[in-house]
Coordinates of all heavy atoms in Angstrom, one line a residue:
M1 N -54.0 171.4 14.6 CA -52.7 171.5 14.0 C -51.5 171.7 14.8 O -51.6 172.3 15.7 CB -52.8 172.6 12.9 CG -51.6 172.8 12.1 SD -51.8 174.1 10.9 CE -52.5 173.3 9.5
A2 N -50.3 171.3 14.4 CA -49.2 171.3 15.1 C -48.8 172.7 15.3 O -48.8 173.6 14.4 CB -48.0 170.6 14.5
A3 N -48.4 173.3 16.5 CA -48.0 174.6 16.8 C -46.8 174.8 16.0 O -45.9 173.9 15.9 CB -48.0 174.8 18.3
K4 N -46.5 176.2 15.7 CA -45.2 176.5 15.0 C -43.9 176.0 15.7 O -43.1 175.6 15.1 CB -45.2 178.0 14.7 CG -46.0 178.3 13.6 CD -45.9 179.8 13.3 CE -46.8 180.2 12.1 NZ -46.6 181.7 11.9
K5 N -44.0 176.4 17.0 CA -42.8 176.1 17.8 C -42.7 174.7 18.5 O -41.9 174.5 19.3 CB -42.7 177.2 18.9 CG -42.5 178.7 18.4 CD -41.1 178.9 17.8 CE -41.2 180.3 17.3 NZ -40.0 180.7 16.6
E6 N -43.7 173.9 18.2 CA -43.8 172.6 18.9 C -42.4 171.8 18.4 O -42.1 171.6 17.1 CB -45.0 172.0 18.5 CG -45.3 170.6 19.1 CD -46.6 169.9 19.0 OE1 -47.0 170.0 17.7 OE2 -47.3 169.6 19.9
T7 N -41.9 170.9 19.3 CA -40.9 170.1 18.8 C -41.4 168.8 18.6 O -42.6 168.5 18.8 CB -39.9 169.9 20.2 OG1 -40.7 169.3 21.2 CG2 -39.3 171.2 20.6
Y8 N -40.6 168.0 18.0 CA -40.9 166.6 17.5 C -41.4 165.9 18.7 O -42.4 165.1 18.8 CB -39.7 166.0 17.0 CG -39.9 164.5 16.6 CD1 -40.5 164.1 15.3 CD2 -39.7 163.4 17.5 CE1 -40.8 162.9 15.0 CE2 -39.8 162.1 17.1 CZ -40.5 161.8 15.9 OH -40.6 160.5 15.5
S9 N -40.6 165.9 19.9 CA -41.0 165.2 21.2 C -42.3 165.6 21.7 O -43.1 164.8 22.2 CB -39.9 165.5 22.3 OG -38.6 165.0 21.8
Q10 N -42.6 166.9 21.6 CA -43.9 167.4 22.1 C -45.1 166.9 21.2 O -46.0 166.5 21.8 CB -44.0 168.9 22.2 CG -43.1 169.7 23.1 CD -43.0 171.1 23.0 OE1 -43.0 171.5 21.7 NE2 -42.8 171.8 24.0
A11 N -44.8 166.8 20.0 CA -45.9 166.3 19.0 C -46.1 164.8 19.3 O -47.2 164.3 19.3 CB -45.4 166.5 17.6
I12 N -44.9 164.1 19.5 CA -45.1 162.6 19.9 C -45.9 162.4 21.1 O -46.8 161.5 21.2 CB -43.7 162.0 19.8 CG1 -43.1 161.9 18.6 CG2 -43.7 160.6 20.5 CD1 -43.8 161.0 17.4
Q13 N -45.7 163.3 22.1 CA -46.4 163.1 23.3 C -47.9 163.4 23.2 O -48.8 162.6 23.7 CB -45.9 164.1 24.5 CG -44.5 163.8 25.0 CD -43.9 164.8 25.8 OE1 -44.4 166.0 26.1 NE2 -42.9 164.4 26.5
R14 N -48.2 164.3 22.3 CA -49.6 164.7 21.9 C -50.3 163.4 21.2 O -51.4 163.1 21.6 CB -49.8 166.0 21.1 CG -49.7 167.1 21.9 CD -50.2 168.5 21.3 NE -49.8 168.5 19.8 CZ -50.7 168.9 18.8 NH1 -52.0 168.9 19.0 NH2 -50.2 168.9 17.6
L15 N -49.5 162.9 20.4 CA -50.0 161.8 19.5 C -50.2 160.5 20.4 O -51.3 160.0 20.4 CB -49.0 161.5 18.4 CG -49.4 160.3 17.5 CD1 -50.7 160.6 16.9 CD2 -48.3 160.1 16.5
E16 N -49.3 160.4 21.4 CA -49.5 159.2 22.4 C -50.7 159.3 23.1 O -51.4 158.4 23.5 CB -48.1 159.1 23.1 CG -47.0 158.5 22.4 CD -45.5 158.5 23.1 OE1 -45.6 159.2 24.2 OE2 -44.7 157.9 22.6
K17 N -50.9 160.7 23.7 CA -52.0 160.8 24.4 C -53.4 160.6 23.6 O -54.3 160.0 24.2 CB -52.2 162.2 24.9 CG -53.2 162.6 25.8 CD -53.2 164.1 26.4 CE -54.4 164.4 27.2 NZ -54.5 165.7 27.6
I18 N -53.5 161.0 22.4 CA -54.7 160.8 21.7 C -54.9 159.2 21.4 O -55.9 158.7 21.4 CB -54.5 161.5 20.2 CG1 -54.6 163.0 20.5 CG2 -55.5 161.2 19.3 CD1 -54.3 164.0 19.2
V19 N -53.7 158.6 21.1 CA -53.9 157.1 20.8 C -54.3 156.4 22.2 O -55.2 155.5 22.0 CB -52.5 156.6 20.3 CG1 -52.4 155.1 20.4 CG2 -52.1 157.2 19.1
S20 N -53.8 156.9 23.2 CA -54.2 156.2 24.6 C -55.9 156.5 24.7 O -56.5 155.6 25.2 CB -53.5 156.9 25.6 OG -54.0 156.4 26.8
Q21 N -56.3 157.8 24.4 CA -57.8 158.1 24.5 C -58.6 157.1 23.7 O -59.6 156.8 24.0 CB -58.0 159.5 24.2 CG -57.4 160.4 25.3 CD -57.5 162.0 25.0 OE1 -57.4 162.2 23.7 NE2 -57.6 162.8 25.9
I22 N -58.0 157.0 22.4 CA -58.8 156.2 21.5 C -58.8 154.7 21.9 O -59.9 154.0 21.9 CB -58.2 156.3 20.0 CG1 -58.3 157.8 19.5 CG2 -58.8 155.3 19.1 CD1 -57.6 158.1 18.2
E23 N -57.7 154.2 22.3 CA -57.6 152.8 22.7 C -58.5 152.4 23.9 O -58.9 151.4 24.0 CB -56.1 152.4 23.0 CG -55.3 152.3 21.6 CD -53.9 152.0 22.0 OE1 -53.4 152.2 23.1 OE2 -53.2 151.4 20.9
S24 N -58.5 153.5 24.7 CA -59.4 153.3 26.0 C -60.8 153.5 25.8 O -61.5 153.6 26.9 CB -58.8 154.0 27.2 OG -58.8 155.4 27.0
N25 N -61.3 153.9 24.7 CA -62.6 154.3 24.4 C -63.1 155.5 25.3 O -64.2 155.5 25.8 CB -63.6 153.2 24.6 CG -63.3 152.0 23.6 OD1 -63.1 152.4 22.4 ND2 -63.3 150.8 24.1
E26 N -62.2 156.5 25.6 CA -62.4 157.6 26.4 C -63.4 158.7 25.5 O -64.0 159.4 26.3 CB -61.2 158.3 26.9 CG -60.5 157.6 27.9 CD -59.1 158.4 28.3 OE1 -59.3 159.6 28.3 OE2 -58.2 157.8 28.5
L27 N -63.3 158.6 24.2 CA -63.8 159.7 23.5 C -65.2 159.3 22.9 O -65.5 158.3 22.5 CB -63.0 159.9 22.3 CG -61.4 160.2 22.6 CD1 -60.6 160.3 21.3 CD2 -61.3 161.6 23.3
E28 N -66.0 160.4 22.9 CA -67.3 160.2 22.5 C -67.1 160.3 21.0 O -66.3 160.8 20.3 CB -68.3 161.4 22.8 CG -68.5 161.4 24.3 CD -69.5 162.5 24.7 OE1 -70.2 163.0 23.8 OE2 -69.5 162.9 25.9
I29 N -68.1 159.8 20.2 CA -68.0 159.7 18.8 C -67.9 161.0 18.0 O -67.2 161.0 17.0 CB -69.2 158.9 18.2 CG1 -68.9 158.5 16.7 CG2 -70.5 159.6 18.3 CD1 -68.1 157.4 16.5
D30 N -68.4 162.1 18.6 CA -68.3 163.3 17.9 C -67.0 163.8 18.1 O -66.4 164.5 17.3 CB -69.3 164.4 18.7 CG -70.7 164.0 18.4 OD1 -71.0 163.4 17.3 OD2 -71.6 164.2 19.3
V31 N -66.2 163.6 19.2 CA -64.8 163.9 19.4 C -63.9 163.1 18.8 O -62.8 163.6 18.4 CB -64.6 164.1 21.0 CG1 -63.2 164.4 21.3 CG2 -65.5 164.9 21.6
L32 N -64.2 161.9 18.6 CA -63.3 161.0 17.9 C -62.8 161.4 16.5 O -61.7 161.3 16.2 CB -64.0 159.5 17.8 CG -63.2 158.4 17.2 CD1 -61.9 158.1 18.0 CD2 -64.1 157.1 17.2
S33 N -63.8 161.7 15.7 CA -63.3 162.3 14.4 C -62.3 163.5 14.5 O -61.5 163.5 13.8 CB -64.7 162.7 13.7 OG -64.4 163.3 12.5
K34 N -62.6 164.4 15.4 CA -61.7 165.5 15.6 C -60.2 165.0 16.1 O -59.3 165.5 15.5 CB -62.3 166.4 16.6 CG -61.5 167.7 16.9 CD -62.0 168.5 17.9 CE -61.2 169.7 18.4 NZ -61.6 170.3 19.5
K35 N -60.3 164.0 16.9 CA -59.0 163.6 17.3 C -58.2 162.8 16.4 O -57.1 162.9 16.3 CB -59.2 162.8 18.7 CG -59.6 163.5 19.9 CD -58.5 164.3 20.3 CE -58.9 165.2 21.6 NZ -57.8 166.0 22.2
I36 N -58.9 162.1 15.5 CA -58.3 161.3 14.4 C -57.7 162.3 13.4 O -56.7 162.1 13.0 CB -59.3 160.4 13.8 CG1 -59.6 159.3 14.8 CG2 -58.7 159.8 12.5 CD1 -60.6 158.3 14.4
K37 N -58.4 163.4 13.2 CA -57.9 164.5 12.3 C -56.7 165.0 12.9 O -55.7 165.2 12.2 CB -59.0 165.5 12.0 CG -58.6 166.5 11.1 CD -59.6 167.6 10.8 CE -59.1 168.6 9.8 NZ -60.1 169.7 9.7
E38 N -56.7 165.5 14.1 CA -55.6 165.9 14.9 C -54.4 165.0 14.8 O -53.3 165.4 14.5 CB -55.9 166.3 16.2 CG -54.8 167.0 17.0 CD -55.2 167.4 18.5 OE1 -56.4 167.0 18.9 OE2 -54.2 167.7 19.3
A39 N -54.6 163.7 15.1 CA -53.5 162.7 15.1 C -52.9 162.7 13.7 O -51.7 162.6 13.5 CB -54.1 161.3 15.4
N40 N -53.8 162.8 12.6 CA -53.2 162.7 11.2 C -52.3 163.9 11.1 O -51.2 163.8 10.5 CB -54.4 162.6 10.2 CG -53.8 162.3 8.9 OD1 -53.1 161.6 8.6 ND2 -54.4 163.1 7.9
E41 N -52.7 165.1 11.6 CA -51.8 166.2 11.4 C -50.5 166.2 12.2 O -49.5 166.6 11.6 CB -52.6 167.5 11.8 CG -53.8 167.9 11.0 CD -54.7 169.1 11.5 OE1 -54.5 169.5 12.7 OE2 -55.6 169.3 10.9
I42 N -50.5 165.6 13.3 CA -49.4 165.3 14.0 C -48.5 164.4 13.3 O -47.2 164.5 13.3 CB -49.7 164.8 15.5 CG1 -50.5 165.9 16.3 CG2 -48.3 164.6 16.2 CD1 -51.0 165.4 17.6
I43 N -49.1 163.4 12.8 CA -48.2 162.4 12.0 C -47.5 163.1 10.8 O -46.2 162.8 10.6 CB -49.1 161.2 11.7 CG1 -49.4 160.3 12.8 CG2 -48.3 160.3 10.6 CD1 -50.6 159.4 12.6
T44 N -48.3 163.8 10.1 CA -47.6 164.6 9.0 C -46.5 165.5 9.4 O -45.5 165.5 8.9 CB -48.8 165.5 8.3 OG1 -49.7 164.6 7.8 CG2 -48.2 166.3 7.1
F45 N -46.8 166.3 10.5 CA -45.8 167.1 11.1 C -44.5 166.4 11.6 O -43.4 166.7 11.2 CB -46.4 167.8 12.4 CG -45.3 168.6 13.2 CD1 -45.0 169.9 12.8 CD2 -44.7 168.0 14.4 CE1 -44.0 170.6 13.6 CE2 -43.9 168.8 15.3 CZ -43.5 170.1 14.8
C46 N -44.6 165.3 12.2 CA -43.5 164.4 12.6 C -42.8 163.8 11.4 O -41.6 163.8 11.3 CB -44.0 163.3 13.5 SG -44.5 164.0 15.2
T47 N -43.5 163.3 10.5 CA -42.9 162.8 9.2 C -42.1 163.9 8.5 O -41.0 163.7 8.1 CB -44.1 162.2 8.2 OG1 -44.8 161.2 9.0 CG2 -43.3 161.6 7.0
D48 N -42.6 165.1 8.4 CA -41.9 166.2 7.7 C -40.6 166.5 8.7 O -39.5 166.7 7.9 CB -42.8 167.4 7.7 CG -43.8 167.4 6.7 OD1 -43.8 166.4 5.8 OD2 -44.8 168.2 6.8
K49 N -40.7 166.5 9.9 CA -39.5 166.7 10.7 C -38.4 165.6 10.5 O -37.3 165.9 10.3 CB -39.9 166.8 12.2 CG -40.5 168.0 12.7 CD -39.4 168.9 13.1 CE -40.2 169.9 14.0 NZ -39.1 171.0 14.4
L50 N -38.9 164.4 10.5 CA -38.0 163.3 10.2 C -37.3 163.3 8.9 O -36.1 163.0 8.7 CB -38.6 162.0 10.5 CG -39.0 161.6 12.0 CD1 -39.9 160.3 11.9 CD2 -37.7 161.4 12.8
T51 N -38.2 163.7 7.8 CA -37.6 163.7 6.5 C -36.5 164.8 6.4 O -35.5 164.6 5.7 CB -38.8 163.9 5.4 OG1 -39.7 162.8 5.6 CG2 -38.3 164.0 4.1
K52 N -36.9 166.0 7.0 CA -36.0 167.1 7.0 C -34.7 166.7 7.6 O -33.5 167.0 7.2 CB -36.5 168.3 7.6 CG -35.8 169.5 7.6 CD -36.4 170.7 8.1 CE -35.4 171.9 8.2 NZ -35.9 173.1 8.8
A53 N -34.7 166.1 8.8 CA -33.4 165.7 9.6 C -32.7 164.6 8.7 O -31.4 164.8 8.6 CB -33.9 165.2 10.8
D54 N -33.4 163.8 8.1 CA -32.7 162.8 7.3 C -32.0 163.5 6.1 O -30.7 163.1 5.8 CB -33.7 161.7 6.7 CG -33.0 160.7 6.0 OD1 -32.2 160.0 6.5 OD2 -33.5 160.3 4.9
R55 N -32.4 164.5 5.4 CA -31.9 165.2 4.3 C -30.7 165.8 4.9 O -29.6 165.9 4.2 CB -33.0 166.0 3.7 CG -33.9 165.4 2.8 CD -34.8 166.4 2.0 NE -36.0 165.8 1.6 CZ -37.1 166.4 1.7 NH1 -37.2 167.5 2.3 NH2 -38.2 165.7 1.2
E56 N -30.8 166.6 6.1 CA -29.6 167.2 6.5 C -28.6 166.4 6.9 O -27.4 166.7 6.7 CB -30.1 168.0 7.8 CG -31.1 169.2 7.5 CD -31.7 170.0 8.7 OE1 -31.3 169.6 9.8 OE2 -32.5 170.8 8.5
I57 N -28.8 165.3 7.6 CA -27.8 164.3 7.9 C -27.1 163.7 6.6 O -25.8 163.6 6.6 CB -28.4 163.1 8.7 CG1 -28.8 163.7 10.1 CG2 -27.3 162.0 8.9 CD1 -29.6 162.7 10.9
E58 N -27.8 163.4 5.6 CA -27.3 163.0 4.4 C -26.4 164.0 3.7 O -25.4 163.6 3.2 CB -28.4 162.5 3.3 CG -28.6 161.1 3.2 CD -29.8 160.8 2.1 OE1 -29.4 161.2 0.9 OE2 -30.8 160.3 2.4
K59 N -26.7 165.2 3.8 CA -26.0 166.2 3.1 C -24.7 166.4 3.8 O -23.6 166.4 3.4 CB -26.8 167.6 3.2 CG -26.0 168.7 2.6 CD -26.9 170.0 2.6 CE -26.1 171.2 2.0 NZ -24.7 171.4 2.1
L60 N -24.7 166.4 5.3 CA -23.5 166.5 6.0 C -22.6 165.3 5.7 O -21.3 165.5 5.7 CB -23.9 166.6 7.5 CG -24.6 167.8 8.0 CD1 -25.0 167.7 9.6 CD2 -23.6 169.0 8.0
L61 N -23.2 164.1 5.8 CA -22.3 162.9 5.4 C -21.6 163.0 4.1 O -20.5 162.7 4.0 CB -23.2 161.6 5.6 CG -23.6 161.3 7.0 CD1 -24.5 160.1 7.0 CD2 -22.4 161.1 7.9
N62 N -22.4 163.5 3.1 CA -21.9 163.6 1.8 C -20.9 164.8 1.7 O -19.9 164.6 1.0 CB -23.1 163.9 0.7 CG -23.9 162.7 0.3 OD1 -23.5 161.6 0.6 ND2 -25.3 163.0 0.0
D63 N -21.2 165.9 2.3 CA -20.1 166.9 2.4 C -18.9 166.4 3.1 O -17.7 166.8 2.5 CB -20.6 168.2 3.1 CG -21.8 168.8 2.4 OD1 -22.0 168.5 1.1 OD2 -22.5 169.8 2.9
R64 N -19.0 165.6 4.0 CA -17.8 165.1 4.8 C -17.0 164.2 3.9 O -15.9 164.3 3.9 CB -18.3 164.6 6.0 CG -17.1 163.9 6.8 CD -17.4 163.4 8.2 NE -16.3 163.0 8.8 CZ -16.3 162.5 10.0 NH1 -17.4 162.4 10.7 NH2 -15.2 162.2 10.5
Q65 N -17.7 163.3 3.2 CA -16.9 162.3 2.3 C -16.3 163.1 1.2 O -15.1 162.7 0.8 CB -18.0 161.4 1.8 CG -18.6 160.4 2.7 CD -19.4 159.4 2.1 OE1 -20.0 159.6 1.0 NE2 -19.8 158.3 2.7
H66 N -16.9 164.1 0.7 CA -16.3 164.9 -0.4 C -15.1 165.8 0.1 O -14.1 166.1 -0.7 CB -17.2 165.8 -1.1 CG -18.2 164.9 -2.0 ND1 -19.6 164.9 -1.6 CD2 -18.0 164.2 -3.0 CE1 -20.1 164.1 -2.4 NE2 -19.3 163.6 -3.4
S67 N -15.0 166.1 1.4 CA -13.9 166.8 1.9 C -12.8 166.1 2.3 O -11.7 166.7 2.6 CB -14.5 167.8 3.0 OG -14.7 167.1 4.1
E68 N -12.9 164.8 2.4 CA -11.9 163.9 2.9 C -10.8 163.5 1.7 O -11.1 163.4 0.6 CB -12.4 162.6 3.5 CG -13.1 163.0 4.8 CD -13.5 161.8 5.6 OE1 -13.6 160.8 5.1 OE2 -14.1 161.9 6.7

């Protein structure tokens, strides 16, 4: 699971490492399942971060339009 203080960039780096390990067949089958689960959790974390940022930007833009 993504750490509480982990940044989006750190999460992406972890995800890229997992993808690289999967693509290069570095992982044993027992570890593969665990890594895929971890990757899914990272994807969820990143998606949530992006969605939150998108909402904040939209709100700022809307507030700015209404104040002009």
Side-chain angles (χ1 to χ4, degrees):
M1 180 178 274
K4 285 184 181 182
K5 301 285 184 181
E6 184 173 48
T7 66
Y8 177 85
S9 295
Q10 291 168 331
I12 290 294
Q13 287 175 350
R14 283 197 314 128
L15 182 60
E16 288 172 347
K17 182 178 178 184
I18 292 169
V19 169
S20 175
Q21 290 173 329
I22 292 170
E23 288 177 341
S24 66
N25 293 319
E26 288 179 34
L27 304 172
E28 294 181 21
I29 194 71
D30 296 329
V31 178
L32 181 61
S33 173
K34 179 182 171 192
K35 289 294 185 177
I36 290 173
K37 182 179 177 184
E38 182 181 353
N40 191 46
E41 290 171 355
I42 296 169
I43 291 167
T44 300
F45 171 80
C46 290
T47 301
D48 291 346
K49 283 268 195 189
L50 290 172
T51 301
K52 182 179 177 184
D54 186 50
R55 285 188 200 133
E56 290 173 3
I57 292 167
E58 256 186 64
K59 183 182 181 322
L60 290 171
L61 292 175
N62 286 333
D63 291 348
R64 184 175 179 178
Q65 286 178 347
H66 290 111
S67 67
E68 292 179 356

